[in-house]
Amino acid sequence: MKKVEMIIMPEIPKSDLHPSWVPEDANENFACSVMGGIDTKVNANSEEKVYDPNAVRRVPLRRKPTLDEIVKGVGEGNRVMLSKAITLIESNAPKDFDKAQRVLQGLLPKTGKALRIGITGVPGAGKSTFIEAFGQLLCSMGYKVAVLAVDPTSPLTGGSILGDKTRMQNLSREPNCFIRPTPSGGTLGGVARKSRETMMLCEAAGYDVILVETVGVGQSETTVRNMVDFFMLVVLTGAGDDLQGIKKGIMELADAIVVNKADGENLARATVTQGEYERMVEFIRPATEGWKTHAYKCSALTHDGLPELWAVMRKFEKETKESGVFQKRRKAQLLSWVRGMIDEHLHNLFFNDPMIKGRIPLVEHSVVNGLISPSQAVTELIRCFDMDRAAIKHMQSGKM
Ligand SMILES: Nc1nc2c(ncn2[C@@H]2O[C@H](COP(=O)(O)OP(=O)(O)O)[C@@H](O)[C@H]2O)c(=O)[nH]1
Ligand SMILES: [Mg+2]
């Protein structure tokens, strides 16, 4: 009987079981790990296989990249590094804030080069389907496309884009496309800051077009209008007069109104609706100086009308850059961003101040019971705040 050769395997240290690579979007449930194989050494003088524990290939441990490596990686268009940088931006941990800002600072010279396009419309209008089709069209033309979402209404579910991931399956497979769901930032201001900074990182990573989807509710349209160059409103056929009345404010933000689902039996109705919107835009203030907003129709399903819309956007870019309106808007957006952040910072500083926290219920009680006027209440709170800040400063300077 043939002797069965046994190779006794020593216990592999736990550290060697660490995966050396995991997919970019893996979470802790990712079950598959890629490990180095185990080498066996054949003894030249005998047939016997000897296991040499030193021959176990050491798999380098996954270590966190340094900030410089992240900056370099993003600048070279490395998607893993881009995701890491965005994770830093999206983090709510104070220790990550400085890191994120250092990464952004390092990449600042490479930002600002993309065409930023905002897409809004009521749920079901076809925004995600449009982005999927339009994104693929742009990728086929050789552009690198980044897709972001601003949806502060559902920070827990990950926002509209995550919910619609099935509708972006083809686009997410495009090597030249990067899709990032809405960040969970709590307030709209928080989400907006993260989205703006994410947009800048994508630009630094070489993305030519940024598509920002937003839900058609509340203030998010205005917020997205303030972070993009071209703003597009996706509408449906057959919306009643009353609904269209509500949209007037949003129409005033749009550089294009697009009647989607212009396909099949709906095509004729879409053409009529397009005409109605075209008449309506005559009466509204254009969103962009020197640009005439028009109504268009398309089908995100059949892709009809998409190349024409891209041509409109390129025309918009060319004309506004020539007139200087493009650059003027970008500058104004930056300044309003800074102002907005100052507002938010001061707001947080004020309402998180321990003295104010304790004082507010009392002062509010006095106001509602007619003991002091609202103006007096504000003066009183601001005075408390000033005193508290002065005391904190005094303590910090070691005088107490
Ligand atoms: N017929 C037709 N259906 C569409 C078109 N675009 C989107 N849809 C459908 O409309 C529904 C809502 O689309 P979705 O992209 O999720 O809308 P969103 O909520 O605005 O992002 C889905 O069932 C889509 O398949 C289109 O151009 N034609
Ligand atoms: Mg959607």
Side-chain angles (χ1 to χ4, degrees), residues 4 9 14 21 43 68 83 95 149 159 178 190 194 225 232 240 267 270 337 348 362 366 382 386-387 400:
V4 179
M9 306 285 273
K14 272 224 160 54
W21 173 89
N43 187 331
D68 283 346
S83 290
K95 70 174 170 45
F178 182 85
K194 292 170 183 181
R225 165 76 271 187
M232 186 183 123
L267 180 58
W337 182 11
N348 292 341
L362 226 78
S366 304
I382 299 281
D386 278 345
M387 272 166 46
M400 262 173 92

Side-chain angles (χ1 to χ4, degrees), residues 2 18 39 51 74 115 156 163 180 189 200 225 229 243 251 326 375 383:
K2 201 169 180 281
H18 269 264
D39 291 346
Y51 180 77
V74 173
L115 181 63
L156 292 180
R180 189 80 181 186
M200 292 167 84
R225 165 76 271 187
D229 308 309
L243 246 177
M251 278 168 63
F326 187 96
S375 296
R383 195 181 56 81

Side-chain angles (χ1 to χ4, degrees), residues 179-249:
I179 302 180
R180 189 80 181 186
T182 195
S184 51
T187 63
L188 178 58
V191 171
R193 175 185 71 78
K194 292 170 183 181
S195 300
R196 278 194 174 99
E197 293 181 346
T198 295
M199 189 159 77
M200 292 167 84
L201 290 177
C202 290
E203 290 180 335
Y207 288 87
D208 310 292
V209 183
I210 318 277
L211 302 175
V212 188
E213 177 179 344
T214 188
V215 280
V217 291
Q219 279 296 301
S220 43
E221 274 118 347
T222 321
T223 305
V224 172
R225 165 76 271 187
N226 278 333
M227 62 170 89
V228 298
D229 308 309
F230 187 91
F231 197 57
M232 186 183 123
L233 170 65
V234 181
V235 294
L236 291 169
T237 53
D241 282 345
D242 46 345
L243 246 177
Q244 301 196 348
I246 298 166
K247 283 193 203 118
K248 190 172 173 283

